[in-house]
């Protein structure tokens, strides 16, 4: 999961696809000086030692 933050630290867009985040920045004409792209899963895993494998959840339906 990637998060695209603006210069003020506000999350503008989140998606599991890095390219989708970059396309969002391009759509709103944000250049790299105006946003920060972060890999959120890597940060959460490192800080909390949590496995966020999307395939581990079970469907109870």
């Amino acid at each position: 999961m990637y998060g695209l933050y603006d210069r003020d630290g506000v999350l503008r867009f989140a998606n599991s696809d890095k390219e989708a985040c970059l396309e969002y920045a391009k759509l709103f004409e944000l250049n790299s000086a105006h946003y920060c792209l972060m890999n959120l899963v890597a940060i959460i895993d490192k800080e909390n030692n949590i496995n966020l494998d999307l395939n581990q959840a079970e469907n109870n339906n």
Side-chain angles (χ1 to χ4, degrees):
M1 181 64 71
Y2 293 90
L4 187 125
Y5 293 84
D6 67 14
R7 234 188 326 194
D8 298 321
V10 176
L11 179 63
R12 297 281 301 263
F13 186 75
N15 196 296
S16 60
D17 182 14
K18 181 179 178 179
E19 293 302 317
C21 290
L22 295 174
E23 288 296 321
Y24 176 93
K26 184 177 176 181
L27 177 67
F28 288 98
E29 299 177 352
L30 301 173
N31 64 37
S32 60
H34 294 109
Y35 70 85
C36 174
L37 182 63
M38 299 180 71
N39 184 337
L40 303 176
V41 174
I43 292 168
I44 292 171
D45 284 348
K46 186 183 289 184
E47 290 179 356
N48 299 316
N49 197 22
I50 297 173
N51 181 2
L52 294 177
D53 184 5
L54 296 177
N55 295 323
Q56 73 184 21
E58 292 183 16
N59 186 350
N60 292 328
N61 291 334

mmCIF file of all heavy atoms in Angstrom, residues 6-38:
data_model
loop_
_atom_site.group_PDB
_atom_site.id
_atom_site.type_symbol
_atom_site.label_atom_id
_atom_site.label_comp_id
_atom_site.label_asym_id
_atom_site.label_seq_id
_atom_site.Cartn_x
_atom_site.Cartn_y
_atom_site.Cartn_z
ATOM 1 N N ASP A 6 0.856 15.365 0.495
ATOM 2 C CA ASP A 6 1.237 16.667 -0.048
ATOM 3 C C ASP A 6 2.302 17.303 0.843
ATOM 4 O O ASP A 6 2.737 16.723 1.834
ATOM 5 C CB ASP A 6 0.021 17.574 -0.247
ATOM 6 C CG ASP A 6 -0.659 17.994 1.040
ATOM 7 O OD1 ASP A 6 -0.084 17.819 2.132
ATOM 8 O OD2 ASP A 6 -1.785 18.499 0.949
ATOM 9 N N ARG A 7 2.714 18.498 0.491
ATOM 10 C CA ARG A 7 3.770 19.204 1.213
ATOM 11 C C ARG A 7 3.421 19.464 2.670
ATOM 12 O O ARG A 7 4.287 19.554 3.517
ATOM 13 C CB ARG A 7 4.030 20.547 0.532
ATOM 14 C CG ARG A 7 5.443 20.743 0.182
ATOM 15 C CD ARG A 7 5.792 22.087 -0.319
ATOM 16 N NE ARG A 7 4.815 22.791 -1.104
ATOM 17 C CZ ARG A 7 5.076 23.860 -1.816
ATOM 18 N NH1 ARG A 7 6.285 24.335 -1.844
ATOM 19 N NH2 ARG A 7 4.142 24.461 -2.504
ATOM 20 N N ASP A 8 2.131 19.564 2.975
ATOM 21 C CA ASP A 8 1.687 19.831 4.339
ATOM 22 C C ASP A 8 1.517 18.560 5.159
ATOM 23 O O ASP A 8 1.111 18.611 6.319
ATOM 24 C CB ASP A 8 0.360 20.603 4.321
ATOM 25 C CG ASP A 8 0.500 21.957 3.651
ATOM 26 O OD1 ASP A 8 1.541 22.613 3.869
ATOM 27 O OD2 ASP A 8 -0.413 22.345 2.912
ATOM 28 N N GLY A 9 1.796 17.410 4.582
ATOM 29 C CA GLY A 9 1.689 16.148 5.282
ATOM 30 C C GLY A 9 0.308 15.533 5.259
ATOM 31 O O GLY A 9 0.027 14.589 5.982
ATOM 32 N N VAL A 10 -0.569 16.042 4.398
ATOM 33 C CA VAL A 10 -1.930 15.526 4.275
ATOM 34 C C VAL A 10 -1.941 14.389 3.255
ATOM 35 O O VAL A 10 -1.410 14.525 2.151
ATOM 36 C CB VAL A 10 -2.908 16.644 3.831
ATOM 37 C CG1 VAL A 10 -4.301 16.099 3.600
ATOM 38 C CG2 VAL A 10 -2.918 17.762 4.856
ATOM 39 N N LEU A 11 -2.531 13.258 3.658
ATOM 40 C CA LEU A 11 -2.653 12.132 2.738
ATOM 41 C C LEU A 11 -3.615 12.517 1.625
ATOM 42 O O LEU A 11 -4.782 12.806 1.869
ATOM 43 C CB LEU A 11 -3.158 10.891 3.472
ATOM 44 C CG LEU A 11 -3.368 9.641 2.627
ATOM 45 C CD1 LEU A 11 -2.054 9.164 2.031
ATOM 46 C CD2 LEU A 11 -4.006 8.547 3.468
ATOM 47 N N ARG A 12 -3.133 12.532 0.400
ATOM 48 C CA ARG A 12 -3.962 12.914 -0.743
ATOM 49 C C ARG A 12 -4.534 11.712 -1.468
ATOM 50 O O ARG A 12 -5.611 11.770 -2.036
ATOM 51 C CB ARG A 12 -3.125 13.732 -1.735
ATOM 52 C CG ARG A 12 -2.588 15.040 -1.206
ATOM 53 C CD ARG A 12 -3.626 16.135 -1.195
ATOM 54 N NE ARG A 12 -4.174 16.415 -2.489
ATOM 55 C CZ ARG A 12 -3.784 17.378 -3.306
ATOM 56 N NH1 ARG A 12 -2.812 18.181 -2.963
ATOM 57 N NH2 ARG A 12 -4.356 17.534 -4.475
ATOM 58 N N PHE A 13 -3.803 10.574 -1.455
ATOM 59 C CA PHE A 13 -4.233 9.412 -2.208
ATOM 60 C C PHE A 13 -3.523 8.186 -1.660
ATOM 61 O O PHE A 13 -2.363 8.253 -1.283
ATOM 62 C CB PHE A 13 -3.879 9.605 -3.688
ATOM 63 C CG PHE A 13 -4.394 8.544 -4.603
ATOM 64 C CD1 PHE A 13 -5.732 8.508 -4.952
ATOM 65 C CD2 PHE A 13 -3.553 7.578 -5.118
ATOM 66 C CE1 PHE A 13 -6.217 7.526 -5.814
ATOM 67 C CE2 PHE A 13 -4.019 6.602 -5.976
ATOM 68 C CZ PHE A 13 -5.361 6.576 -6.323
ATOM 69 N N ALA A 14 -4.229 7.073 -1.594
ATOM 70 C CA ALA A 14 -3.633 5.803 -1.168
ATOM 71 C C ALA A 14 -4.108 4.713 -2.111
ATOM 72 O O ALA A 14 -5.271 4.687 -2.509
ATOM 73 C CB ALA A 14 -4.022 5.480 0.258
ATOM 74 N N ASN A 15 -3.187 3.806 -2.463
ATOM 75 C CA ASN A 15 -3.520 2.730 -3.382
ATOM 76 C C ASN A 15 -2.466 1.640 -3.249
ATOM 77 O O ASN A 15 -1.330 1.915 -2.873
ATOM 78 C CB ASN A 15 -3.561 3.265 -4.816
ATOM 79 C CG ASN A 15 -4.265 2.342 -5.768
ATOM 80 O OD1 ASN A 15 -3.823 1.226 -6.013
ATOM 81 N ND2 ASN A 15 -5.374 2.805 -6.323
ATOM 82 N N SER A 16 -2.822 0.433 -3.576
ATOM 83 C CA SER A 16 -1.850 -0.658 -3.528
ATOM 84 C C SER A 16 -0.903 -0.626 -4.725
ATOM 85 O O SER A 16 0.126 -1.288 -4.724
ATOM 86 C CB SER A 16 -2.564 -2.009 -3.478
ATOM 87 O OG SER A 16 -3.366 -2.178 -4.625
ATOM 88 N N ASP A 17 -1.224 0.171 -5.726
ATOM 89 C CA ASP A 17 -0.411 0.281 -6.927
ATOM 90 C C ASP A 17 0.383 1.592 -6.913
ATOM 91 O O ASP A 17 -0.203 2.680 -6.906
ATOM 92 C CB ASP A 17 -1.316 0.214 -8.162
ATOM 93 C CG ASP A 17 -0.559 0.262 -9.469
ATOM 94 O OD1 ASP A 17 0.674 0.088 -9.464
ATOM 95 O OD2 ASP A 17 -1.212 0.480 -10.505
ATOM 96 N N LYS A 18 1.692 1.468 -6.893
ATOM 97 C CA LYS A 18 2.561 2.648 -6.872
ATOM 98 C C LYS A 18 2.315 3.542 -8.081
ATOM 99 O O LYS A 18 2.279 4.764 -7.969
ATOM 100 C CB LYS A 18 4.022 2.180 -6.839
ATOM 101 C CG LYS A 18 5.030 3.283 -6.783
ATOM 102 C CD LYS A 18 6.429 2.707 -6.724
ATOM 103 C CE LYS A 18 7.472 3.788 -6.726
ATOM 104 N NZ LYS A 18 8.833 3.229 -6.650
ATOM 105 N N GLU A 19 2.134 2.919 -9.249
ATOM 106 C CA GLU A 19 1.912 3.689 -10.472
ATOM 107 C C GLU A 19 0.611 4.500 -10.405
ATOM 108 O O GLU A 19 0.538 5.597 -10.948
ATOM 109 C CB GLU A 19 1.914 2.771 -11.696
ATOM 110 C CG GLU A 19 3.272 2.148 -11.970
ATOM 111 C CD GLU A 19 4.365 3.184 -12.188
ATOM 112 O OE1 GLU A 19 4.124 4.183 -12.890
ATOM 113 O OE2 GLU A 19 5.459 2.987 -11.648
ATOM 114 N N ALA A 20 -0.408 3.979 -9.739
ATOM 115 C CA ALA A 20 -1.668 4.714 -9.596
ATOM 116 C C ALA A 20 -1.442 5.987 -8.780
ATOM 117 O O ALA A 20 -2.015 7.039 -9.086
ATOM 118 C CB ALA A 20 -2.731 3.845 -8.942
ATOM 119 N N CYS A 21 -0.606 5.907 -7.763
ATOM 120 C CA CYS A 21 -0.290 7.090 -6.968
ATOM 121 C C CYS A 21 0.442 8.133 -7.803
ATOM 122 O O CYS A 21 0.154 9.331 -7.713
ATOM 123 C CB CYS A 21 0.549 6.708 -5.751
ATOM 124 S SG CYS A 21 -0.339 5.767 -4.503
ATOM 125 N N LEU A 22 1.368 7.669 -8.619
ATOM 126 C CA LEU A 22 2.102 8.600 -9.480
ATOM 127 C C LEU A 22 1.196 9.211 -10.543
ATOM 128 O O LEU A 22 1.345 10.392 -10.893
ATOM 129 C CB LEU A 22 3.296 7.887 -10.111
ATOM 130 C CG LEU A 22 4.364 7.422 -9.117
ATOM 131 C CD1 LEU A 22 5.423 6.589 -9.830
ATOM 132 C CD2 LEU A 22 4.973 8.591 -8.385
ATOM 133 N N GLU A 23 0.248 8.434 -11.043
ATOM 134 C CA GLU A 23 -0.721 8.961 -12.009
ATOM 135 C C GLU A 23 -1.621 10.015 -11.352
ATOM 136 O O GLU A 23 -1.994 10.999 -11.988
ATOM 137 C CB GLU A 23 -1.567 7.833 -12.599
ATOM 138 C CG GLU A 23 -0.812 6.951 -13.562
ATOM 139 C CD GLU A 23 -0.341 7.711 -14.804
ATOM 140 O OE1 GLU A 23 -1.086 8.572 -15.323
ATOM 141 O OE2 GLU A 23 0.783 7.436 -15.249
ATOM 142 N N TYR A 24 -1.973 9.813 -10.087
ATOM 143 C CA TYR A 24 -2.762 10.804 -9.347
ATOM 144 C C TYR A 24 -1.985 12.123 -9.288
ATOM 145 O O TYR A 24 -2.543 13.192 -9.535
ATOM 146 C CB TYR A 24 -3.060 10.297 -7.935
ATOM 147 C CG TYR A 24 -3.797 11.293 -7.075
ATOM 148 C CD1 TYR A 24 -5.184 11.277 -7.014
ATOM 149 C CD2 TYR A 24 -3.112 12.232 -6.316
ATOM 150 C CE1 TYR A 24 -5.864 12.187 -6.223
ATOM 151 C CE2 TYR A 24 -3.783 13.149 -5.532
ATOM 152 C CZ TYR A 24 -5.158 13.124 -5.487
ATOM 153 O OH TYR A 24 -5.821 14.031 -4.709
ATOM 154 N N ALA A 25 -0.712 12.033 -8.934
ATOM 155 C CA ALA A 25 0.123 13.238 -8.864
ATOM 156 C C ALA A 25 0.182 13.924 -10.221
ATOM 157 O O ALA A 25 0.089 15.155 -10.308
ATOM 158 C CB ALA A 25 1.523 12.873 -8.383
ATOM 159 N N LYS A 26 0.313 13.140 -11.261
ATOM 160 C CA LYS A 26 0.367 13.697 -12.614
ATOM 161 C C LYS A 26 -0.965 14.358 -12.985
ATOM 162 O O LYS A 26 -0.989 15.453 -13.557
ATOM 163 C CB LYS A 26 0.693 12.589 -13.609
ATOM 164 C CG LYS A 26 0.874 13.040 -15.021
ATOM 165 C CD LYS A 26 1.261 11.869 -15.900
ATOM 166 C CE LYS A 26 1.359 12.272 -17.349
ATOM 167 N NZ LYS A 26 1.709 11.136 -18.210
ATOM 168 N N LEU A 27 -2.079 13.698 -12.632
ATOM 169 C CA LEU A 27 -3.404 14.235 -12.940
ATOM 170 C C LEU A 27 -3.617 15.616 -12.325
ATOM 171 O O LEU A 27 -4.174 16.510 -12.949
ATOM 172 C CB LEU A 27 -4.483 13.272 -12.443
ATOM 173 C CG LEU A 27 -5.930 13.701 -12.620
ATOM 174 C CD1 LEU A 27 -6.308 13.750 -14.101
ATOM 175 C CD2 LEU A 27 -6.857 12.766 -11.873
ATOM 176 N N PHE A 28 -3.156 15.778 -11.080
ATOM 177 C CA PHE A 28 -3.344 17.055 -10.391
ATOM 178 C C PHE A 28 -2.116 17.957 -10.507
ATOM 179 O O PHE A 28 -1.984 18.931 -9.768
ATOM 180 C CB PHE A 28 -3.715 16.812 -8.931
ATOM 181 C CG PHE A 28 -5.117 16.291 -8.796
ATOM 182 C CD1 PHE A 28 -5.355 14.930 -8.659
ATOM 183 C CD2 PHE A 28 -6.204 17.150 -8.861
ATOM 184 C CE1 PHE A 28 -6.642 14.440 -8.559
ATOM 185 C CE2 PHE A 28 -7.498 16.673 -8.768
ATOM 186 C CZ PHE A 28 -7.719 15.311 -8.618
ATOM 187 N N GLU A 29 -1.231 17.611 -11.454
ATOM 188 C CA GLU A 29 -0.062 18.422 -11.785
ATOM 189 C C GLU A 29 0.808 18.711 -10.567
ATOM 190 O O GLU A 29 1.293 19.824 -10.372
ATOM 191 C CB GLU A 29 -0.487 19.707 -12.487
ATOM 192 C CG GLU A 29 -1.210 19.441 -13.788
ATOM 193 C CD GLU A 29 -1.716 20.694 -14.470
ATOM 194 O OE1 GLU A 29 -1.651 21.787 -13.885
ATOM 195 O OE2 GLU A 29 -2.187 20.557 -15.609
ATOM 196 N N LEU A 30 1.000 17.681 -9.727
ATOM 197 C CA LEU A 30 1.898 17.798 -8.587
ATOM 198 C C LEU A 30 3.274 17.324 -9.031
ATOM 199 O O LEU A 30 3.413 16.221 -9.535
ATOM 200 C CB LEU A 30 1.413 16.928 -7.429
ATOM 201 C CG LEU A 30 0.022 17.205 -6.878
ATOM 202 C CD1 LEU A 30 -0.355 16.141 -5.862
ATOM 203 C CD2 LEU A 30 -0.029 18.580 -6.247
ATOM 204 N N ASN A 31 4.284 18.149 -8.863
ATOM 205 C CA ASN A 31 5.623 17.673 -9.185
ATOM 206 C C ASN A 31 6.264 17.113 -7.928
ATOM 207 O O ASN A 31 5.735 17.242 -6.830
ATOM 208 C CB ASN A 31 6.474 18.763 -9.854
ATOM 209 C CG ASN A 31 6.734 19.935 -8.942
ATOM 210 O OD1 ASN A 31 6.932 19.777 -7.749
ATOM 211 N ND2 ASN A 31 6.746 21.132 -9.504
ATOM 212 N N SER A 32 7.398 16.465 -8.067
ATOM 213 C CA SER A 32 8.005 15.756 -6.942
ATOM 214 C C SER A 32 8.391 16.672 -5.786
ATOM 215 O O SER A 32 8.599 16.200 -4.675
ATOM 216 C CB SER A 32 9.219 14.962 -7.412
ATOM 217 O OG SER A 32 10.186 15.832 -7.967
ATOM 218 N N ALA A 33 8.452 17.964 -6.003
ATOM 219 C CA ALA A 33 8.727 18.901 -4.915
ATOM 220 C C ALA A 33 7.484 19.166 -4.074
ATOM 221 O O ALA A 33 7.576 19.724 -2.984
ATOM 222 C CB ALA A 33 9.256 20.213 -5.482
ATOM 223 N N HIS A 34 6.310 18.741 -4.582
ATOM 224 C CA HIS A 34 5.056 19.022 -3.887
ATOM 225 C C HIS A 34 4.404 17.799 -3.269
ATOM 226 O O HIS A 34 3.322 17.903 -2.700
ATOM 227 C CB HIS A 34 4.066 19.678 -4.848
ATOM 228 C CG HIS A 34 4.519 21.037 -5.280
ATOM 229 N ND1 HIS A 34 4.950 21.285 -6.557
ATOM 230 C CD2 HIS A 34 4.621 22.198 -4.602
ATOM 231 C CE1 HIS A 34 5.296 22.553 -6.656
ATOM 232 N NE2 HIS A 34 5.118 23.126 -5.487
ATOM 233 N N TYR A 35 5.032 16.625 -3.365
ATOM 234 C CA TYR A 35 4.445 15.439 -2.748
ATOM 235 C C TYR A 35 5.525 14.468 -2.296
ATOM 236 O O TYR A 35 6.685 14.564 -2.682
ATOM 237 C CB TYR A 35 3.482 14.727 -3.694
ATOM 238 C CG TYR A 35 4.118 14.040 -4.871
ATOM 239 C CD1 TYR A 35 4.617 12.752 -4.762
ATOM 240 C CD2 TYR A 35 4.206 14.654 -6.111
ATOM 241 C CE1 TYR A 35 5.199 12.111 -5.838
ATOM 242 C CE2 TYR A 35 4.778 14.024 -7.190
ATOM 243 C CZ TYR A 35 5.276 12.751 -7.051
ATOM 244 O OH TYR A 35 5.845 12.118 -8.116
ATOM 245 N N CYS A 36 5.107 13.538 -1.450
ATOM 246 C CA CYS A 36 5.977 12.482 -0.963
ATOM 247 C C CYS A 36 5.234 11.165 -1.122
ATOM 248 O O CYS A 36 4.082 11.042 -0.705
ATOM 249 C CB CYS A 36 6.306 12.732 0.512
ATOM 250 S SG CYS A 36 7.236 11.404 1.280
ATOM 251 N N LEU A 37 5.860 10.192 -1.744
ATOM 252 C CA LEU A 37 5.267 8.877 -1.945
ATOM 253 C C LEU A 37 5.907 7.914 -0.956
ATOM 254 O O LEU A 37 7.124 7.781 -0.910
ATOM 255 C CB LEU A 37 5.507 8.401 -3.381
ATOM 256 C CG LEU A 37 4.893 7.062 -3.761
ATOM 257 C CD1 LEU A 37 3.372 7.117 -3.663
ATOM 258 C CD2 LEU A 37 5.316 6.675 -5.157
ATOM 259 N N MET A 38 5.080 7.265 -0.131
ATOM 260 C CA MET A 38 5.604 6.378 0.902
ATOM 261 C C MET A 38 4.993 4.991 0.790
ATOM 262 O O MET A 38 3.803 4.860 0.520
ATOM 263 C CB MET A 38 5.299 6.944 2.283
ATOM 264 C CG MET A 38 5.933 8.293 2.527
ATOM 265 S SD MET A 38 5.560 8.937 4.141
ATOM 266 C CE MET A 38 6.511 7.850 5.160
#
